[in-house]
Amino acid sequence: MLLTVFNILFVIIAIAMIALILMQRGAGAAAGSGFGGGASATVFGARGSSNFLSKATKWLAISFFAVTLFMAWYAMHRANPNALDMDLGVMGGQVPTAPVEGAPATPVAPPAPADATVPAAPAADGAVPAAPPAPENSSQESPQPTPQND
């Protein structure tokens, strides 16, 4: 209930701030008053609207931030204090911190069947297979250039 009241107050303050900011004159408005636009300043009094609008905007901004901070604090303290005890399913499972004694360090692959179609690995004695013999009629020369018709 309290959070709903503050949400409504929050929206009202935000709309009021937008309206007050849009009603204020920009930096270039003073140049326009020199050419005959000075009569618009009499709506808020002889001194213009800058004093009233700037003070109202300041207090609306302060209240906007105060309501924002209170709503954040209230939502944080209203959160479930037992959130750490929630059932997280698979992700909440306990992971052992130390390896179990006698267990292999890495998983071992099952042995391959004897009639596997994969060739066996070469022997680990450092022998390297010989390169295939080169064909006898291979020419090491560069190909002859073809004559061009001029």
Side-chain angles (χ1 to χ4, degrees):
M1 174 69 185
L2 183 64
L3 200 56
T4 304
V5 171
F6 274 101
N7 274 333
I8 293 170
L9 182 66
F10 186 73
V11 171
I12 291 171
I13 290 173
I15 291 172
M17 269 182 47
I18 291 170
L20 283 178
I21 290 171
L22 289 176
M23 285 173 47
Q24 293 180 21
R25 279 200 252 174
S33 65
F35 298 108
S40 63
T42 60
V43 175
F44 291 102
R47 292 189 344 197
S49 63
S50 65
N51 195 15
F52 169 73
L53 290 179
S54 62
K55 284 185 179 183
T57 305
K58 174 182 74 170
W59 287 109
L60 278 176
I62 289 170
S63 61
F64 181 82
F65 284 113
V67 169
T68 303
L69 290 175
F70 176 76
M71 285 173 45
W73 175 82
Y74 183 74
M76 191 68 173
H77 284 288
R78 193 176 141 210
N80 187 5
N82 297 328
L84 297 176
D85 298 334
M86 289 175 37
D87 181 25
L88 298 176
V90 176
M91 297 301 291
Q94 294 290 330
V95 178
T97 56
V100 180
E101 291 183 25
T106 58
V108 178
D115 61 343
T117 58
V118 178
D125 61 356
V128 177
E136 293 187 24
N137 62 356
S138 69
S139 63
Q140 301 273 332
E141 303 173 2
S142 62
Q144 296 288 335
T146 57
Q148 296 178 352
N149 296 335
D150 289 322

